[in-house]
Coordinates of all heavy atoms in Angstrom, one line a residue:
Chain A
R112 N 77.2 117.8 153.7 CA 76.1 117.2 152.9 C 75.3 116.3 153.8 O 75.9 115.6 154.7 CB 76.7 116.4 151.8 CG 75.8 116.2 150.6 CD 76.5 115.6 149.5 NE 77.6 116.4 149.1 CZ 78.6 116.0 148.3 NH1 78.5 114.8 147.8 NH2 79.5 116.8 147.9
P113 N 74.0 116.3 153.7 CA 73.2 115.4 154.5 C 73.6 113.9 154.2 O 74.0 113.6 153.1 CB 71.8 115.6 154.1 CG 71.8 116.4 152.9 CD 73.2 117.1 152.8
G114 N 73.5 113.1 155.2 CA 73.9 111.7 155.0 C 73.0 111.1 154.0 O 71.8 111.2 154.0
D115 N 73.6 110.5 153.0 CA 72.8 110.1 151.8 C 73.2 108.7 151.4 O 72.8 108.2 150.3 CB 73.0 111.1 150.7 CG 74.4 111.3 150.4 OD1 75.2 110.4 150.5 OD2 74.8 112.5 150.0
G116 N 74.1 108.1 152.1 CA 74.5 106.8 151.7 C 75.8 106.8 150.9 O 76.4 105.8 150.7
M117 N 76.1 107.9 150.3 CA 77.3 108.0 149.5 C 78.4 108.8 150.2 O 78.1 109.8 150.9 CB 77.1 108.7 148.1 CG 76.0 108.0 147.3 SD 76.5 106.5 146.6 CE 77.5 107.0 145.2
M118 N 79.6 108.4 150.1 CA 80.6 109.2 150.7 C 81.0 110.4 149.9 O 81.1 110.3 148.7 CB 81.9 108.3 150.9 CG 81.8 107.4 152.2 SD 83.1 106.2 152.2 CE 82.6 105.1 150.9
S119 N 81.2 111.5 150.6 CA 81.7 112.7 149.8 C 83.1 112.4 149.3 O 83.9 111.8 149.9 CB 81.6 113.9 150.7 OG 82.8 114.0 151.5
Q120 N 83.3 113.0 148.1 CA 84.6 112.7 147.4 C 85.7 113.6 147.9 O 86.9 113.1 148.0 CB 84.4 112.9 145.9 CG 83.3 112.0 145.4 CD 83.7 111.1 144.3 OE1 84.7 111.4 143.7 NE2 82.9 110.1 144.0
M121 N 85.4 114.8 148.2 CA 86.4 115.8 148.6 C 85.9 116.6 149.7 O 84.7 116.9 149.7 CB 86.8 116.7 147.4 CG 87.6 115.9 146.3 SD 89.3 116.2 146.6 CE 89.6 117.7 145.7
D122 N 86.8 117.0 150.6 CA 86.3 117.9 151.7 C 85.7 119.1 151.2 O 86.4 120.0 150.6 CB 87.5 118.2 152.6 CG 88.2 117.0 153.1 OD1 87.5 115.9 153.2 OD2 89.4 117.0 153.3
G123 N 84.4 119.2 151.4 CA 83.7 120.5 151.1 C 83.4 120.8 149.6 O 82.6 121.6 149.3
D124 N 84.1 120.1 148.7 CA 83.8 120.4 147.3 C 82.5 119.7 146.9 O 82.2 118.6 147.4 CB 84.9 119.8 146.4 CG 86.1 120.8 146.3 OD1 86.2 121.7 147.2 OD2 86.9 120.7 145.4
I125 N 81.8 120.4 146.0 CA 80.5 119.8 145.6 C 80.8 119.0 144.3 O 81.3 119.5 143.3 CB 79.5 120.9 145.3 CG1 79.2 121.6 146.6 CG2 78.3 120.4 144.6 CD1 78.3 122.8 146.5
Y126 N 80.4 117.7 144.3 CA 80.7 116.8 143.2 C 79.6 116.8 142.2 O 78.5 116.4 142.5 CB 80.9 115.4 143.8 CG 81.5 114.5 142.8 CD1 82.8 114.7 142.2 CD2 80.8 113.4 142.4 CE1 83.3 113.8 141.2 CE2 81.3 112.5 141.4 CZ 82.6 112.7 140.9 OH 83.1 111.9 139.9
L127 N 79.9 117.3 141.0 CA 78.9 117.4 140.0 C 79.4 116.7 138.7 O 79.2 117.1 137.6 CB 78.5 118.8 139.7 CG 77.9 119.6 140.9 CD1 77.8 121.1 140.5 CD2 76.6 119.1 141.3
D128 N 80.1 115.6 139.0 CA 80.8 114.8 137.9 C 80.5 113.3 138.0 O 81.4 112.5 137.8 CB 82.3 115.2 137.9 CG 83.0 114.8 136.6 OD1 82.3 114.6 135.6 OD2 84.2 114.7 136.6
Y129 N 79.3 113.0 138.4 CA 78.9 111.6 138.6 C 79.1 110.8 137.3 O 79.3 109.6 137.4 CB 77.5 111.4 139.1 CG 77.4 111.6 140.6 CD1 77.4 112.9 141.2 CD2 77.4 110.5 141.5 CE1 77.3 113.1 142.6 CE2 77.3 110.7 142.9 CZ 77.3 111.9 143.4 OH 77.2 112.1 144.8
A130 N 79.0 111.4 136.2 CA 79.1 110.6 134.9 C 80.5 110.1 134.7 O 80.7 109.2 134.0 CB 78.6 111.5 133.7
A131 N 81.4 110.7 135.4 CA 82.8 110.3 135.3 C 83.1 109.2 136.3 O 84.1 108.4 136.1 CB 83.8 111.4 135.5
G132 N 82.3 109.1 137.3 CA 82.5 108.0 138.3 C 81.9 108.5 139.6 O 82.1 109.6 140.0

Side-chain angles (χ1 to χ4, degrees):
Chain A
R112 202 171 300 169
D115 52 33
M117 301 291 280
M118 278 170 288
S119 79
Q120 304 234 343
M121 286 269 272
D122 302 332
D124 278 17
I125 294 172
Y126 190 63
L127 300 171
D128 196 17
Y129 276 83

